[in-house]
């Protein structure tokens, strides 16, 4: 790809269901996609989470960039093609008695392009999702680099949390006219609750929800696979 057209980046965003399903199928799904980055929801976040994260990354043929316990299970993985220059984690304000949620961020460089990779997983509780979405959105809006953000939003595009995160960004499914592709659940696909949003300066080349016999064994969510062209700096 020539520099004036952009720098290619292949992204997988994937809720892996805390690895409770077929681990071999999960690894095979990601390896077959050959991504440059993987945005993981429901990754390791408890006892020996560092070792478990490294083992998961190795099974994918990737390395850990950011996340894990400090990001409450959100994990960012990269191929060796991608250089990570800075990372940080976020925990959303705790609502008593509710589930802890957070996000992970990594400033990255690939070829002649720089970008912010981000991942989050919002609550199943509709009362607290908008506040978490707002906290996530503040970080994305403050970014000086083009944003590539994957999330399990636990609601569809008509929900307030989804709309809040999506504002000013490109919904990659909509860009490819594939917003009818459901991401959840693998057993009974009826909802699109997982998304990849990107900065408008980024070109969306292709979008897919990978529905195969392997993905149906690997998790309760289907993975999103997106090809992008990043603006060269």
């Amino acid at each position: 790809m020539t520099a004036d057209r952009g720098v290619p980046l292949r992204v997988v965003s994937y809720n892996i269901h805390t690895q409770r399903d077929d681990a071999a199928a999960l690894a095979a799904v990601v390896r077959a996609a050959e991504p440059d980055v993987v945005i993981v929801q429901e990754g390791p976040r408890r006892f020996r989470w560092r070792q478990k994260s490294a083992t998961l990354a190795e099974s994918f043929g990737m390395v850990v960039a950011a996340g894990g316990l400090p990001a409450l299970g959100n994990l960012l993985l990269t191929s060796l093609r991608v250089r990570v220059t800075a990372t940080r984690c976020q925990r959303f304000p705790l609502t008593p008695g509710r589930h802890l949620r957070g996000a992970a961020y990594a400033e990255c460089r690939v070829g002649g392009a720089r970008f912010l990779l981000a991942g989050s997983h919002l609550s199943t509780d509709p009362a607290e999702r908008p506040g978490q979405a707002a906290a996530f959105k503040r970080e994305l809006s403050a970014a000086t680099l083009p944003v590539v953000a994957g999330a399990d939003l636990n609601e569809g595009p008509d929900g307030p949390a989804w709309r809040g995160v999506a504002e000013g960004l490109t919904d990659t499914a909509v860009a490819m006219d594939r917003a009818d592709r459901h991401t959840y659940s693998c057993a009974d696909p009826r909802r699109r609750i997982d998304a990849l949003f990107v900065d408008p300066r980024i070109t969306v080349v292709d979008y897919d929800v990978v529905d195969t016999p392997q993905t149906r064994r690997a998790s309760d969510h289907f993975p999103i696979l997106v090809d992008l062209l990043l603006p060269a700096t």
Side-chain angles (χ1 to χ4, degrees):
M1 189 65 63
T2 59
D4 60 328
R5 292 183 62 193
V7 178
L9 186 78
R10 175 166 282 191
V11 183
V12 167
S13 186
Y14 204 173
N15 182 320
I16 64 170
H17 199 208
T18 62
Q19 299 171 264
R20 286 184 283 180
D21 303 294
D22 187 329
L26 179 66
V29 165
V30 175
R31 283 183 175 270
E34 299 183 326
D36 297 302
V37 297
V38 180
I39 304 168
V40 173
Q41 299 91 39
E42 292 196 28
R45 55 172 288 185
R46 293 186 173 89
F47 179 65
R48 296 169 59 197
W49 64 270
R50 290 184 180 85
Q51 180 181 340
K52 292 176 181 177
S53 296
T55 299
L56 176 69
E58 184 178 9
S59 76
F60 291 171
M62 315 285 283
V63 296
V64 176
L69 175 60
L72 299 170
N74 295 287
L75 189 65
L76 304 178
L77 310 177
T78 65
S79 72
L80 296 181
R81 177 173 175 253
V82 178
R83 178 187 173 195
V84 178
T85 58
T87 65
R88 63 185 182 278
C89 295
Q90 178 184 20
R91 293 190 177 193
F92 301 139
L94 174 63
T95 304
R98 307 288 175 84
H99 292 107
L100 286 168
R101 301 290 182 180
Y105 306 89
E107 295 181 14
C108 302
R109 181 186 295 275
V110 58
R114 298 175 64 207
F115 64 100
L116 177 70
L117 186 66
S120 187
H121 183 192
L122 304 187
S123 175
T124 56
D125 187 327
E128 64 180 349
R129 272 199 305 272
Q132 295 176 351
F136 185 43
K137 184 63 174 181
R138 282 193 293 272
E139 293 294 319
L140 300 181
S141 297
T144 57
L145 299 176
V147 167
V148 176
D152 174 358
L153 296 142
N154 267 312
E155 69 179 32
D158 57 342
W162 182 299
R163 292 195 303 267
V165 174
E167 184 178 3
L169 298 174
T170 299
D171 181 334
T172 54
V174 173
M176 290 288 100
D177 196 26
R178 292 173 187 164
D180 60 340
R181 301 291 303 278
H182 298 142
T183 65
Y184 181 83
S185 71
C186 289
D188 185 18
R190 292 187 178 185
R191 305 174 67 198
R192 184 166 79 99
I193 64 173
D194 306 272
L196 187 79
F197 302 108
V198 298
D199 186 289
R201 291 171 288 180
I202 296 173
T203 301
V204 184
V205 177
D206 198 10
Y207 172 96
D208 193 19
V209 175
V210 186
D211 181 355
T212 67
Q214 274 189 325
T215 60
R216 287 177 179 255
R217 297 197 308 271
S219 177
D220 61 342
H221 289 245
F222 293 115
I224 295 170
L225 174 62
V226 184
D227 283 304
L228 305 172
L229 284 178
L230 305 174
T233 55

